[in-house]
Amino acid sequence: MVFIKFVMCTNILAVAVGAPGVFKTDADYNEVSSYDFPFVSREQWSARTAKEKLPLQTPVPYVVIHHSYTPAACYDGIQCRQAMRSMQNFHMDDRDWWDIGYSFAVGSDGAAYEGRGWDVIGAHALHFNNVSIGICLIGDWSDCLPPTNQLKTAQALIAAGVELGYVRADYKLVGHRQVRDTMCPGDTLYEEIQTWEHYSHFPSTVDDLPKTLISSQH
């Protein structure tokens, strides 16, 4: 028996796994001319107004990958919009943050969801927020891999950030656990992003942060 580390949960197998461009004609999403994947604005997922904002100096040298753990993976626009509202409410009401912490989130529906966006400092990686964009793949990816369309949209979103000048062309990609004492973005997703272009093993733990932040200023 060939056992592939199919770490794609059985309920994930039912979703489409095509490239993000497959979704371009879906009227449920607002297409942004610079993007070749479904993009859902704050207005479309009924985001609350941020309490305050601070500008992010761009282009940033780092992209930090997260998973939400909770809420669970979402597979259509209704579920994913609800997940965005749930995360924003938790961040603003329970943690008393100014807004949802992430710059963007990506659902298992293959769409990218606008969080704080490209040019606002996030609250996703303490002591690292002012040098990075934070992208959350909605779901718990400890034991199973996100659907292919979710992974492809996350990668396409990063590429768009480079193209638009918000992310440096020589950016470094890291998992949240590399800059914070956490299990995020889950073991399976963390293993996956290590195969992506621009993945950096440094910083390897939060203890490397002082050296990392100094180097990022040059």
Side-chain angles (χ1 to χ4, degrees), residues 21-35:
V22 170
F23 298 91
K24 287 195 68 174
T25 59
D26 190 338
D28 191 38
Y29 301 108
N30 175 44
E31 295 304 328
V32 177
S33 60
S34 298
Y35 302 152

Side-chain angles (χ1 to χ4, degrees), residues 116-128:
R116 297 199 184 193
W118 296 115
D119 55 3
V120 176
I121 292 179
H124 58 89
L126 186 64
H127 306 307
F128 216 67

Side-chain angles (χ1 to χ4, degrees), residues 3-168:
F3 180 78
I4 302 173
K5 190 181 180 185
F6 217 137
V7 287
M8 300 183 77
C9 301
T10 53
N11 59 338
I12 292 176
L13 297 178
V15 304
V17 293
V22 170
F23 298 91
K24 287 195 68 174
T25 59
D26 190 338
D28 191 38
Y29 301 108
N30 175 44
E31 295 304 328
V32 177
S33 60
S34 298
Y35 302 152
D36 61 355
F37 50 85
F39 184 86
V40 181
S41 69
R42 289 176 62 90
E43 181 180 10
Q44 288 179 299
W45 61 264
S46 302
R48 295 161 58 181
T49 301
K51 298 174 186 177
E52 294 187 54
K53 297 179 183 180
L54 286 176
L56 177 63
Q57 184 176 345
T58 58
V60 294
Y62 287 92
V63 174
V64 182
I65 299 295
H66 303 258
H67 73 166
S68 63
Y69 188 72
T70 56
C74 55
Y75 298 98
D76 60 43
I78 294 175
Q79 291 179 349
C80 291
R81 285 166 170 79
Q82 177 57 44
M84 293 298 291
R85 291 190 293 269
S86 174
M87 289 189 290
Q88 187 186 42
N89 289 339
F90 174 67
H91 291 171
M92 295 180 74
D93 298 335
D94 291 65
R95 294 191 170 177
D96 200 28
W97 295 351
W98 292 347
D99 196 355
I100 189 171
Y102 308 115
S103 308
F104 299 93
V106 180
S108 295
D109 59 345
Y113 290 79
E114 182 182 22
R116 297 199 184 193
W118 296 115
D119 55 3
V120 176
I121 292 179
H124 58 89
L126 186 64
H127 306 307
F128 216 67
N129 293 313
N130 64 337
V131 294
S132 65
I133 291 291
I135 300 175
C136 175
L137 278 71
I138 301 171
D140 175 7
W141 307 117
S142 302
D143 300 314
C144 56
L145 196 65
T148 301
N149 58 346
Q150 189 171 9
L151 297 172
K152 285 182 177 294
T153 294
Q155 292 172 301
L157 180 63
I158 298 170
V162 173
E163 179 185 350
L164 295 170
Y166 293 113
V167 177
R168 277 174 35 171

